[in-house]
Amino acid sequence: MSGTTTPAVAIPGQTARGAGTAAPKSTASPWWADAAAVVGGGVLVALHGSRLGRWVVDDAAITFAYARSIDEGLGPVQQAGAAPVEGYSNPAWLALLVTGRRLGLFDHRALFGVPDLVLYPKALGLLCALGTLAAVACAARRLVARSWWVTALAGVLLGANVSFVAWTFSGLENPLYACVATALAAVLVRAVAAGNLLGTGPAVASGLLALVAALTRPDGAVLAGVYPLLLLLTSRRAELWPRTRAAALGTAAFAVPYGLFLVWRLAVFGRLVPNTAVAKSQELPDAELFTRTTGELLTFAGWPAVLVAAALVGVALTRRGMPRTVLAAIVLPLALTLCAYGVLEPDWMGMHRFATPVWPLGALALAVAAVGLAERGGPRPRAAVAVALSTTLLLSWSAQRESAAAFRAEPTLPMCLVVNRDGVVFNTYADRLDIADGSVLLPSLGGTLLTSDLKVYDLAGLTEPRIADALSAGDTEGLRAYAFRELRPTFVHAVGVWARKTGMTAPRLTAEGYLPLYRTSDGGGDWVRADAVRHPERLGPLRAWADRVIPAAYESGRNRCGGVLRPGRAAIRPSDRPTH
């Protein structure tokens, strides 16, 4: 009934359109308590992230290279002279990097020997983490009296989660995606609690936040379904037209600008999806993939911890006096992002990279359920909640401890390793052999683009549409024909899975007229086209140099690659360069 309140809680301005109950503003935590909890959680995340040192994953450096090109007026190209290719899938994150470069904060200098290519994206990641916790606090203030407990608990959960922390400080777009997803949940929570879910503000804000999510990661488009689904779940027959109008407004706020973006993408790049999506061969989802992928994610989190958390949320959703419909505004984006993660092809980078928004939404749902149950229960229920929370934290930490240690010891493909292994090494090959206007075909792209003097071709297909098409179709013969007949790279680097996947093996490279410069135990390595070598007598000393320097790059070149990364400038010491 309109204007009704319960003895325990009330919603200011509650109308028939509102649903559920929330904490009254007069009993909410003081703002400084929530602010302190946000800062405290951010400190925990930062401390855990500091254990990763200067690590930035190499794929992030691909977007760094595009930011450099755009800011220098070259357009969306990987390097000067290249054709426009959407070799990134995170235009919103790219925009932040371009802005930082234009302001002189990114890709300009080093501070205390640390390149701003490392510092700036990590600072953005920390700001996004703080924004995520601020969104948690905003949502919690409409749901429970002691909202700072919710924020503090979410901060502890996120600060202890190695997957969330690692990808927050990886240089990739993950922290922005997590922040936007949590902000969307907060907007909807506050709208439902205030009885304003059908208002213009929540509708437009939901659509625009979903738009930012979709421009941050392609799978972020699933968040466009949160607002219409919430309207459907809370529908009343008498409000059919207002709900239809609100759903149309929210959908239009997302669909119109996103549609214009797709038109621009098609006009500039000739594709409706990023070239990266084609290269990664994302297939139509199926139940087996979803079950396997989500099962692996929940195993990582720790099944006992997952079951305890699910039980707390389930009890909260069924308990009389709890704001059930408001909780749905959290559970819906959580469910959709979890489903999106479940249908994506497993990512080679590991540590559940695509699950980043799942963690803060799950932490928010768990923390709100636990604190809400504790506030509405007596001493025994409170003790039970405290035990359940302690058990959840302990089990989750135990489940992730081994994975965290392994990741810190050997994080996914560091940018500096690629700079030192590929950018520097192939520059030196070209210098030593007096090769001008050379090119290189290789699968590790980011650090190479930032430092290479050569024209770079991507063996993984992220920035090469025809290679992406060949990989997607499984046409390895077509890939090799394109590489050897049309690209004709001066140098080829292919090892491990990429040598096997593309057929760039020693026999094939030899048959195509390439000479080995460095060989690996799996039959791969570095090769140079024989007809580009004008001084064959230099090959022997160059091979000896490579045998000495390349293993050293794997051992000590993972975290340091110079203060400023430019073509021809990186961490290699002058004594490492062979003389003519």
PDB file of all heavy atoms in Angstrom, residues 369-404:
ATOM      1  N   ALA A 369      23.600  -9.001   1.775  1.00  0.00           N
ATOM      2  CA  ALA A 369      22.794 -10.067   2.370  1.00  0.00           C
ATOM      3  C   ALA A 369      23.232 -10.333   3.806  1.00  0.00           C
ATOM      4  O   ALA A 369      22.396 -10.437   4.719  1.00  0.00           O
ATOM      5  CB  ALA A 369      22.913 -11.336   1.529  1.00  0.00           C
ATOM      6  N   ALA A 370      24.536 -10.418   4.030  1.00  0.00           N
ATOM      7  CA  ALA A 370      25.036 -10.743   5.365  1.00  0.00           C
ATOM      8  C   ALA A 370      24.732  -9.629   6.362  1.00  0.00           C
ATOM      9  O   ALA A 370      24.210  -9.885   7.460  1.00  0.00           O
ATOM     10  CB  ALA A 370      26.538 -10.998   5.297  1.00  0.00           C
ATOM     11  N   VAL A 371      25.038  -8.390   5.992  1.00  0.00           N
ATOM     12  CA  VAL A 371      24.806  -7.278   6.913  1.00  0.00           C
ATOM     13  C   VAL A 371      23.307  -7.062   7.126  1.00  0.00           C
ATOM     14  O   VAL A 371      22.854  -6.794   8.249  1.00  0.00           O
ATOM     15  CB  VAL A 371      25.479  -5.998   6.388  1.00  0.00           C
ATOM     16  CG1 VAL A 371      25.131  -4.800   7.269  1.00  0.00           C
ATOM     17  CG2 VAL A 371      26.989  -6.188   6.339  1.00  0.00           C
ATOM     18  N   GLY A 372      22.508  -7.206   6.072  1.00  0.00           N
ATOM     19  CA  GLY A 372      21.067  -7.054   6.217  1.00  0.00           C
ATOM     20  C   GLY A 372      20.472  -8.097   7.147  1.00  0.00           C
ATOM     21  O   GLY A 372      19.634  -7.784   8.002  1.00  0.00           O
ATOM     22  N   LEU A 373      20.904  -9.338   7.013  1.00  0.00           N
ATOM     23  CA  LEU A 373      20.414 -10.395   7.905  1.00  0.00           C
ATOM     24  C   LEU A 373      20.856 -10.142   9.342  1.00  0.00           C
ATOM     25  O   LEU A 373      20.094 -10.364  10.288  1.00  0.00           O
ATOM     26  CB  LEU A 373      20.921 -11.755   7.426  1.00  0.00           C
ATOM     27  CG  LEU A 373      20.284 -12.301   6.139  1.00  0.00           C
ATOM     28  CD1 LEU A 373      21.022 -13.541   5.664  1.00  0.00           C
ATOM     29  CD2 LEU A 373      18.797 -12.605   6.362  1.00  0.00           C
ATOM     30  N   ALA A 374      22.094  -9.688   9.512  1.00  0.00           N
ATOM     31  CA  ALA A 374      22.594  -9.414  10.859  1.00  0.00           C
ATOM     32  C   ALA A 374      21.811  -8.282  11.515  1.00  0.00           C
ATOM     33  O   ALA A 374      21.486  -8.346  12.708  1.00  0.00           O
ATOM     34  CB  ALA A 374      24.075  -9.065  10.800  1.00  0.00           C
ATOM     35  N   GLU A 375      21.488  -7.244  10.763  1.00  0.00           N
ATOM     36  CA  GLU A 375      20.752  -6.116  11.335  1.00  0.00           C
ATOM     37  C   GLU A 375      19.316  -6.469  11.677  1.00  0.00           C
ATOM     38  O   GLU A 375      18.739  -5.900  12.609  1.00  0.00           O
ATOM     39  CB  GLU A 375      20.766  -4.942  10.347  1.00  0.00           C
ATOM     40  CG  GLU A 375      22.109  -4.248  10.233  1.00  0.00           C
ATOM     41  CD  GLU A 375      22.063  -3.025   9.348  1.00  0.00           C
ATOM     42  OE1 GLU A 375      21.046  -2.843   8.633  1.00  0.00           O
ATOM     43  OE2 GLU A 375      23.032  -2.248   9.376  1.00  0.00           O
ATOM     44  N   ARG A 376      18.744  -7.394  10.962  1.00  0.00           N
ATOM     45  CA  ARG A 376      17.334  -7.734  11.169  1.00  0.00           C
ATOM     46  C   ARG A 376      17.144  -8.954  12.058  1.00  0.00           C
ATOM     47  O   ARG A 376      16.027  -9.406  12.256  1.00  0.00           O
ATOM     48  CB  ARG A 376      16.667  -7.958   9.808  1.00  0.00           C
ATOM     49  CG  ARG A 376      16.508  -6.670   9.009  1.00  0.00           C
ATOM     50  CD  ARG A 376      16.244  -6.953   7.546  1.00  0.00           C
ATOM     51  NE  ARG A 376      15.943  -5.739   6.790  1.00  0.00           N
ATOM     52  CZ  ARG A 376      16.849  -4.882   6.332  1.00  0.00           C
ATOM     53  NH1 ARG A 376      18.132  -5.111   6.549  1.00  0.00           N
ATOM     54  NH2 ARG A 376      16.484  -3.807   5.668  1.00  0.00           N
ATOM     55  N   GLY A 377      18.220  -9.521  12.553  1.00  0.00           N
ATOM     56  CA  GLY A 377      18.125 -10.712  13.383  1.00  0.00           C
ATOM     57  C   GLY A 377      18.557 -10.449  14.805  1.00  0.00           C
ATOM     58  O   GLY A 377      19.068  -9.381  15.155  1.00  0.00           O
ATOM     59  N   GLY A 378      18.372 -11.461  15.635  1.00  0.00           N
ATOM     60  CA  GLY A 378      18.797 -11.381  17.022  1.00  0.00           C
ATOM     61  C   GLY A 378      20.237 -11.820  17.186  1.00  0.00           C
ATOM     62  O   GLY A 378      20.975 -11.993  16.219  1.00  0.00           O
ATOM     63  N   PRO A 379      20.660 -12.033  18.434  1.00  0.00           N
ATOM     64  CA  PRO A 379      22.060 -12.432  18.694  1.00  0.00           C
ATOM     65  C   PRO A 379      22.456 -13.723  17.992  1.00  0.00           C
ATOM     66  O   PRO A 379      23.568 -13.815  17.453  1.00  0.00           O
ATOM     67  CB  PRO A 379      22.098 -12.584  20.217  1.00  0.00           C
ATOM     68  CG  PRO A 379      20.982 -11.698  20.718  1.00  0.00           C
ATOM     69  CD  PRO A 379      19.918 -11.786  19.682  1.00  0.00           C
ATOM     70  N   ARG A 380      21.597 -14.714  17.999  1.00  0.00           N
ATOM     71  CA  ARG A 380      21.962 -15.985  17.370  1.00  0.00           C
ATOM     72  C   ARG A 380      22.122 -15.864  15.851  1.00  0.00           C
ATOM     73  O   ARG A 380      23.110 -16.338  15.297  1.00  0.00           O
ATOM     74  CB  ARG A 380      20.937 -17.057  17.734  1.00  0.00           C
ATOM     75  CG  ARG A 380      21.025 -17.507  19.186  1.00  0.00           C
ATOM     76  CD  ARG A 380      20.068 -18.643  19.460  1.00  0.00           C
ATOM     77  NE  ARG A 380      20.192 -19.109  20.848  1.00  0.00           N
ATOM     78  CZ  ARG A 380      19.453 -20.085  21.363  1.00  0.00           C
ATOM     79  NH1 ARG A 380      18.527 -20.695  20.623  1.00  0.00           N
ATOM     80  NH2 ARG A 380      19.632 -20.437  22.631  1.00  0.00           N
ATOM     81  N   PRO A 381      21.139 -15.267  15.168  1.00  0.00           N
ATOM     82  CA  PRO A 381      21.345 -15.080  13.719  1.00  0.00           C
ATOM     83  C   PRO A 381      22.597 -14.263  13.400  1.00  0.00           C
ATOM     84  O   PRO A 381      23.295 -14.547  12.430  1.00  0.00           O
ATOM     85  CB  PRO A 381      20.076 -14.346  13.280  1.00  0.00           C
ATOM     86  CG  PRO A 381      19.051 -14.741  14.272  1.00  0.00           C
ATOM     87  CD  PRO A 381      19.784 -14.858  15.572  1.00  0.00           C
ATOM     88  N   ARG A 382      22.881 -13.261  14.231  1.00  0.00           N
ATOM     89  CA  ARG A 382      24.077 -12.466  13.983  1.00  0.00           C
ATOM     90  C   ARG A 382      25.343 -13.309  14.141  1.00  0.00           C
ATOM     91  O   ARG A 382      26.284 -13.186  13.361  1.00  0.00           O
ATOM     92  CB  ARG A 382      24.121 -11.281  14.936  1.00  0.00           C
ATOM     93  CG  ARG A 382      23.065 -10.239  14.640  1.00  0.00           C
ATOM     94  CD  ARG A 382      23.087  -9.122  15.668  1.00  0.00           C
ATOM     95  NE  ARG A 382      22.008  -8.174  15.424  1.00  0.00           N
ATOM     96  CZ  ARG A 382      21.702  -7.152  16.219  1.00  0.00           C
ATOM     97  NH1 ARG A 382      22.434  -6.952  17.315  1.00  0.00           N
ATOM     98  NH2 ARG A 382      20.703  -6.343  15.928  1.00  0.00           N
ATOM     99  N   ALA A 383      25.347 -14.146  15.149  1.00  0.00           N
ATOM    100  CA  ALA A 383      26.499 -15.025  15.351  1.00  0.00           C
ATOM    101  C   ALA A 383      26.642 -15.990  14.178  1.00  0.00           C
ATOM    102  O   ALA A 383      27.755 -16.259  13.707  1.00  0.00           O
ATOM    103  CB  ALA A 383      26.353 -15.788  16.658  1.00  0.00           C
ATOM    104  N   ALA A 384      25.499 -16.498  13.695  1.00  0.00           N
ATOM    105  CA  ALA A 384      25.538 -17.424  12.559  1.00  0.00           C
ATOM    106  C   ALA A 384      26.083 -16.731  11.308  1.00  0.00           C
ATOM    107  O   ALA A 384      26.888 -17.301  10.556  1.00  0.00           O
ATOM    108  CB  ALA A 384      24.147 -17.983  12.292  1.00  0.00           C
ATOM    109  N   VAL A 385      25.661 -15.483  11.076  1.00  0.00           N
ATOM    110  CA  VAL A 385      26.157 -14.730   9.926  1.00  0.00           C
ATOM    111  C   VAL A 385      27.657 -14.481  10.059  1.00  0.00           C
ATOM    112  O   VAL A 385      28.419 -14.605   9.085  1.00  0.00           O
ATOM    113  CB  VAL A 385      25.395 -13.400   9.785  1.00  0.00           C
ATOM    114  CG1 VAL A 385      26.086 -12.493   8.764  1.00  0.00           C
ATOM    115  CG2 VAL A 385      23.955 -13.652   9.350  1.00  0.00           C
ATOM    116  N   ALA A 386      28.099 -14.111  11.268  1.00  0.00           N
ATOM    117  CA  ALA A 386      29.521 -13.857  11.486  1.00  0.00           C
ATOM    118  C   ALA A 386      30.351 -15.105  11.210  1.00  0.00           C
ATOM    119  O   ALA A 386      31.414 -15.036  10.574  1.00  0.00           O
ATOM    120  CB  ALA A 386      29.747 -13.373  12.919  1.00  0.00           C
ATOM    121  N   VAL A 387      29.874 -16.255  11.677  1.00  0.00           N
ATOM    122  CA  VAL A 387      30.585 -17.513  11.425  1.00  0.00           C
ATOM    123  C   VAL A 387      30.604 -17.822   9.934  1.00  0.00           C
ATOM    124  O   VAL A 387      31.635 -18.231   9.382  1.00  0.00           O
ATOM    125  CB  VAL A 387      29.937 -18.663  12.222  1.00  0.00           C
ATOM    126  CG1 VAL A 387      30.520 -20.008  11.785  1.00  0.00           C
ATOM    127  CG2 VAL A 387      30.146 -18.465  13.709  1.00  0.00           C
ATOM    128  N   ALA A 388      29.459 -17.610   9.265  1.00  0.00           N
ATOM    129  CA  ALA A 388      29.381 -17.894   7.832  1.00  0.00           C
ATOM    130  C   ALA A 388      30.340 -17.000   7.050  1.00  0.00           C
ATOM    131  O   ALA A 388      31.028 -17.453   6.131  1.00  0.00           O
ATOM    132  CB  ALA A 388      27.952 -17.700   7.342  1.00  0.00           C
ATOM    133  N   LEU A 389      30.398 -15.706   7.416  1.00  0.00           N
ATOM    134  CA  LEU A 389      31.303 -14.794   6.726  1.00  0.00           C
ATOM    135  C   LEU A 389      32.766 -15.162   6.952  1.00  0.00           C
ATOM    136  O   LEU A 389      33.575 -15.168   6.025  1.00  0.00           O
ATOM    137  CB  LEU A 389      31.061 -13.363   7.193  1.00  0.00           C
ATOM    138  CG  LEU A 389      29.858 -12.637   6.596  1.00  0.00           C
ATOM    139  CD1 LEU A 389      29.729 -11.259   7.203  1.00  0.00           C
ATOM    140  CD2 LEU A 389      30.004 -12.520   5.088  1.00  0.00           C
ATOM    141  N   SER A 390      33.103 -15.457   8.190  1.00  0.00           N
ATOM    142  CA  SER A 390      34.484 -15.838   8.495  1.00  0.00           C
ATOM    143  C   SER A 390      34.876 -17.090   7.730  1.00  0.00           C
ATOM    144  O   SER A 390      35.980 -17.184   7.169  1.00  0.00           O
ATOM    145  CB  SER A 390      34.642 -16.064   9.998  1.00  0.00           C
ATOM    146  OG  SER A 390      34.313 -14.904  10.723  1.00  0.00           O
ATOM    147  N   THR A 391      33.954 -18.045   7.670  1.00  0.00           N
ATOM    148  CA  THR A 391      34.218 -19.284   6.941  1.00  0.00           C
ATOM    149  C   THR A 391      34.395 -19.011   5.457  1.00  0.00           C
ATOM    150  O   THR A 391      35.301 -19.550   4.803  1.00  0.00           O
ATOM    151  CB  THR A 391      33.063 -20.281   7.155  1.00  0.00           C
ATOM    152  OG1 THR A 391      32.905 -20.522   8.560  1.00  0.00           O
ATOM    153  CG2 THR A 391      33.338 -21.598   6.433  1.00  0.00           C
ATOM    154  N   THR A 392      33.544 -18.132   4.918  1.00  0.00           N
ATOM    155  CA  THR A 392      33.635 -17.793   3.494  1.00  0.00           C
ATOM    156  C   THR A 392      34.985 -17.181   3.163  1.00  0.00           C
ATOM    157  O   THR A 392      35.647 -17.570   2.194  1.00  0.00           O
ATOM    158  CB  THR A 392      32.515 -16.805   3.109  1.00  0.00           C
ATOM    159  OG1 THR A 392      31.241 -17.433   3.339  1.00  0.00           O
ATOM    160  CG2 THR A 392      32.617 -16.402   1.653  1.00  0.00           C
ATOM    161  N   LEU A 393      35.413 -16.205   3.964  1.00  0.00           N
ATOM    162  CA  LEU A 393      36.687 -15.541   3.704  1.00  0.00           C
ATOM    163  C   LEU A 393      37.855 -16.516   3.811  1.00  0.00           C
ATOM    164  O   LEU A 393      38.759 -16.517   2.971  1.00  0.00           O
ATOM    165  CB  LEU A 393      36.881 -14.396   4.696  1.00  0.00           C
ATOM    166  CG  LEU A 393      36.013 -13.152   4.462  1.00  0.00           C
ATOM    167  CD1 LEU A 393      36.091 -12.213   5.659  1.00  0.00           C
ATOM    168  CD2 LEU A 393      36.447 -12.429   3.201  1.00  0.00           C
ATOM    169  N   LEU A 394      37.834 -17.359   4.838  1.00  0.00           N
ATOM    170  CA  LEU A 394      38.934 -18.303   5.039  1.00  0.00           C
ATOM    171  C   LEU A 394      39.006 -19.317   3.909  1.00  0.00           C
ATOM    172  O   LEU A 394      40.089 -19.592   3.367  1.00  0.00           O
ATOM    173  CB  LEU A 394      38.755 -19.022   6.383  1.00  0.00           C
ATOM    174  CG  LEU A 394      39.823 -20.078   6.721  1.00  0.00           C
ATOM    175  CD1 LEU A 394      41.192 -19.435   6.804  1.00  0.00           C
ATOM    176  CD2 LEU A 394      39.476 -20.778   8.034  1.00  0.00           C
ATOM    177  N   LEU A 395      37.855 -19.876   3.527  1.00  0.00           N
ATOM    178  CA  LEU A 395      37.846 -20.886   2.478  1.00  0.00           C
ATOM    179  C   LEU A 395      38.221 -20.293   1.120  1.00  0.00           C
ATOM    180  O   LEU A 395      38.940 -20.920   0.330  1.00  0.00           O
ATOM    181  CB  LEU A 395      36.468 -21.545   2.400  1.00  0.00           C
ATOM    182  CG  LEU A 395      36.072 -22.401   3.613  1.00  0.00           C
ATOM    183  CD1 LEU A 395      34.636 -22.886   3.469  1.00  0.00           C
ATOM    184  CD2 LEU A 395      37.014 -23.590   3.780  1.00  0.00           C
ATOM    185  N   SER A 396      37.737 -19.085   0.854  1.00  0.00           N
ATOM    186  CA  SER A 396      38.066 -18.454  -0.419  1.00  0.00           C
ATOM    187  C   SER A 396      39.553 -18.147  -0.487  1.00  0.00           C
ATOM    188  O   SER A 396      40.211 -18.375  -1.512  1.00  0.00           O
ATOM    189  CB  SER A 396      37.245 -17.172  -0.588  1.00  0.00           C
ATOM    190  OG  SER A 396      37.532 -16.557  -1.820  1.00  0.00           O
ATOM    191  N   TRP A 397      40.114 -17.623   0.607  1.00  0.00           N
ATOM    192  CA  TRP A 397      41.540 -17.322   0.637  1.00  0.00           C
ATOM    193  C   TRP A 397      42.369 -18.595   0.474  1.00  0.00           C
ATOM    194  O   TRP A 397      43.347 -18.615  -0.276  1.00  0.00           O
ATOM    195  CB  TRP A 397      41.897 -16.638   1.951  1.00  0.00           C
ATOM    196  CG  TRP A 397      43.369 -16.391   2.099  1.00  0.00           C
ATOM    197  CD1 TRP A 397      44.107 -15.398   1.529  1.00  0.00           C
ATOM    198  CD2 TRP A 397      44.287 -17.178   2.864  1.00  0.00           C
ATOM    199  NE1 TRP A 397      45.424 -15.506   1.890  1.00  0.00           N
ATOM    200  CE2 TRP A 397      45.575 -16.595   2.714  1.00  0.00           C
ATOM    201  CE3 TRP A 397      44.158 -18.308   3.672  1.00  0.00           C
ATOM    202  CZ2 TRP A 397      46.700 -17.109   3.337  1.00  0.00           C
ATOM    203  CZ3 TRP A 397      45.283 -18.817   4.294  1.00  0.00           C
ATOM    204  CH2 TRP A 397      46.536 -18.228   4.129  1.00  0.00           C
ATOM    205  N   SER A 398      41.959 -19.659   1.136  1.00  0.00           N
ATOM    206  CA  SER A 398      42.684 -20.923   1.028  1.00  0.00           C
ATOM    207  C   SER A 398      42.644 -21.468  -0.394  1.00  0.00           C
ATOM    208  O   SER A 398      43.637 -21.986  -0.908  1.00  0.00           O
ATOM    209  CB  SER A 398      42.101 -21.955   2.005  1.00  0.00           C
ATOM    210  OG  SER A 398      42.216 -21.520   3.339  1.00  0.00           O
ATOM    211  N   ALA A 399      41.477 -21.335  -1.039  1.00  0.00           N
ATOM    212  CA  ALA A 399      41.329 -21.862  -2.401  1.00  0.00           C
ATOM    213  C   ALA A 399      42.211 -21.114  -3.391  1.00  0.00           C
ATOM    214  O   ALA A 399      42.719 -21.695  -4.357  1.00  0.00           O
ATOM    215  CB  ALA A 399      39.860 -21.782  -2.836  1.00  0.00           C
ATOM    216  N   GLN A 400      42.416 -19.811  -3.156  1.00  0.00           N
ATOM    217  CA  GLN A 400      43.157 -18.991  -4.111  1.00  0.00           C
ATOM    218  C   GLN A 400      44.645 -18.852  -3.788  1.00  0.00           C
ATOM    219  O   GLN A 400      45.410 -18.348  -4.611  1.00  0.00           O
ATOM    220  CB  GLN A 400      42.548 -17.586  -4.164  1.00  0.00           C
ATOM    221  CG  GLN A 400      41.138 -17.536  -4.691  1.00  0.00           C
ATOM    222  CD  GLN A 400      40.614 -16.122  -4.745  1.00  0.00           C
ATOM    223  OE1 GLN A 400      41.348 -15.169  -4.959  1.00  0.00           O
ATOM    224  NE2 GLN A 400      39.323 -15.966  -4.532  1.00  0.00           N
ATOM    225  N   ARG A 401      45.056 -19.285  -2.609  1.00  0.00           N
ATOM    226  CA  ARG A 401      46.427 -19.016  -2.163  1.00  0.00           C
ATOM    227  C   ARG A 401      47.470 -19.590  -3.112  1.00  0.00           C
ATOM    228  O   ARG A 401      48.419 -18.900  -3.505  1.00  0.00           O
ATOM    229  CB  ARG A 401      46.628 -19.596  -0.762  1.00  0.00           C
ATOM    230  CG  ARG A 401      47.998 -19.313  -0.181  1.00  0.00           C
ATOM    231  CD  ARG A 401      48.085 -19.797   1.250  1.00  0.00           C
ATOM    232  NE  ARG A 401      47.766 -21.213   1.354  1.00  0.00           N
ATOM    233  CZ  ARG A 401      47.806 -21.902   2.497  1.00  0.00           C
ATOM    234  NH1 ARG A 401      48.125 -21.274   3.625  1.00  0.00           N
ATOM    235  NH2 ARG A 401      47.516 -23.182   2.516  1.00  0.00           N
ATOM    236  N   GLU A 402      47.298 -20.824  -3.529  1.00  0.00           N
ATOM    237  CA  GLU A 402      48.278 -21.452  -4.408  1.00  0.00           C
ATOM    238  C   GLU A 402      48.300 -20.774  -5.775  1.00  0.00           C
ATOM    239  O   GLU A 402      49.371 -20.516  -6.335  1.00  0.00           O
ATOM    240  CB  GLU A 402      47.966 -22.937  -4.552  1.00  0.00           C
ATOM    241  CG  GLU A 402      49.008 -23.710  -5.335  1.00  0.00           C
ATOM    242  CD  GLU A 402      48.736 -25.206  -5.353  1.00  0.00           C
ATOM    243  OE1 GLU A 402      48.028 -25.695  -4.449  1.00  0.00           O
ATOM    244  OE2 GLU A 402      49.234 -25.886  -6.277  1.00  0.00           O
ATOM    245  N   SER A 403      47.102 -20.472  -6.310  1.00  0.00           N
ATOM    246  CA  SER A 403      47.034 -19.793  -7.603  1.00  0.00           C
ATOM    247  C   SER A 403      47.679 -18.412  -7.535  1.00  0.00           C
ATOM    248  O   SER A 403      48.363 -17.988  -8.472  1.00  0.00           O
ATOM    249  CB  SER A 403      45.572 -19.654  -8.048  1.00  0.00           C
ATOM    250  OG  SER A 403      44.972 -20.907  -8.234  1.00  0.00           O
ATOM    251  N   ALA A 404      47.467 -17.716  -6.427  1.00  0.00           N
ATOM    252  CA  ALA A 404      48.036 -16.383  -6.270  1.00  0.00           C
ATOM    253  C   ALA A 404      49.560 -16.433  -6.252  1.00  0.00           C
ATOM    254  O   ALA A 404      50.237 -15.619  -6.903  1.00  0.00           O
ATOM    255  CB  ALA A 404      47.513 -15.731  -4.988  1.00  0.00           C
TER     256      ALA A 404
END
